[in-house]
Amino acid sequence: MILEKKRLFDAYAAKQGLRSTRQRDVILDIFLSTHEHLSVEELYLKVKASHPGIGQATVYRTLKLFVDAGLAREMTLPGGQTRYEHQLAGEHHDHLICTRCNRIVEFEDATIERLQHEIAQRHGFRLTGHKMQLCGICPACSAAEIQ
Amino acid sequence: MILEKKRLFDAYAAKQGLRSTRQRDVILDIFLSTHEHLSVEELYLKVKASHPGIGQATVYRTLKLFVDAGLAREMTLPGGQTRYEHQLAGEHHDHLICTRCNRIVEFEDATIERLQHEIAQRHGFRLTGHKMQLCGICPACSAAEIQ
DNA sequence: CAAACAAATGAAAATCATTTTCAGGACCGC
DNA sequence: GCGGTCCTGAAAATGATTTTCATTTGTTTG
């Protein structure tokens, strides 16, 4: 699966005439080795830990490439911070976000998915993407609150 | 309806022990006189037009009060810009956003609404809010594209 | 009604995330 | 290897928002 993503990026790079650089390889490896919804800063820190020479402008630039290449997805949380997560081809999931502890839980719902397309169609929109964020209090924080 | 919102804000102000100031009255009036999804900058310009003395820090501060008071809602668009819209008690609507021209169309869907609550419940979340943004190309931009 | 204190304001500075600039360094085709 | 171009890192620039702080303005009390 990691290999598949690397191939996806290589294909994109080839199509766009991008050069292959050590930095991009490193950032891709580290990005693929995570399973979280990373902020740029977080990824930058991980990268810097093993490769101190890499600057954060490069991390910013590279993450945008990943989005264009189709292997990452950008999400803007309430509060304005941007996070990146793996994009698995054809899979659409949405997020439950705990407003206390910022924990993010992913979910998928085919019915909502279908309704979204119907709504877009009804308004004449050609749908290219969507974001749904349900905000609330997670079980752990609910429990902690009672104490 | 405008009066009702003013009362809502007055109630909130009273509860919080906020003082009543000319600036807040002006900003509330102008905010209520619009029907758009305003950015802070846009509201600030409207305010400044009739009341040049009011600074943008005050507009920022006041909009946050409106959100807390429950009469406005904050939305973060992809790209990071924040917009504020009227929040009508009990009404939940979501947005179709044209990624070409940034036009925003509102919609409501009771079925999705219900499914969202089911999903939250299934994960043990106590739902406090949600944002759903469907991104795509609006009919006008689609048409323009063909030219 | 005046005094007194706290809250609110405006302007400017500070902050934060992100983008751009630019000079040097690294890839790739030849 | 050579040369042009793309890529990179560091720092500066940007843009939105927040904070600071001196001043003004409500409110409360005597």
Side-chain angles (χ1 to χ4, degrees), chain B residues 87-137:
Chain B
Q87 168 80 292
L88 304 123
E91 181 195 297
H92 284 287
H93 64 256
D94 295 291
H95 300 97
L96 269 160
I97 301 168
C98 177
T99 53
R100 284 263 195 292
C101 66
N102 284 313
R103 192 155 72 91
I104 299 175
V105 176
E106 297 176 356
F107 68 88
E108 241 187 301
D109 190 292
T111 310
I112 289 183
E113 207 78 16
R114 186 172 46 72
L115 289 170
Q116 288 175 334
H117 278 91
E118 285 177 17
I119 290 163
Q121 203 159 41
R122 198 180 310 145
H123 289 86
F125 272 62
R126 187 151 42 80
L127 211 56
T128 56
H130 67 88
K131 329 213 165 182
M132 178 163 62
Q133 303 175 342
L134 306 183
C135 303
I137 316 288

Side-chain angles (χ1 to χ4, degrees), chain A residues 3-20:
Chain A
L3 265 180
E4 171 200 319
K5 291 249 179 100
K6 288 199 182 190
R7 234 170 270 132
L8 189 58
F9 183 66
D10 286 347
Y12 174 79
K15 185 161 62 90
Q16 300 292 309
L18 301 180
R19 290 179 180 173
S20 119

Side-chain angles (χ1 to χ4, degrees), chain B residues 60-107:
Chain B
Y60 272 97
R61 292 188 273 235
T62 306
L63 275 171
K64 289 204 181 301
L65 291 182
F66 292 172
V67 173
D68 290 343
L71 55 89
R73 188 154 73 133
E74 205 180 276
M75 59 185 286
T76 312
L77 296 194
Q81 74 165 162
T82 303
R83 293 185 164 267
Y84 292 85
E85 63 178 349
H86 298 197
Q87 168 80 292
L88 304 123
E91 181 195 297
H92 284 287
H93 64 256
D94 295 291
H95 300 97
L96 269 160
I97 301 168
C98 177
T99 53
R100 284 263 195 292
C101 66
N102 284 313
R103 192 155 72 91
I104 299 175
V105 176
E106 297 176 356
F107 68 88

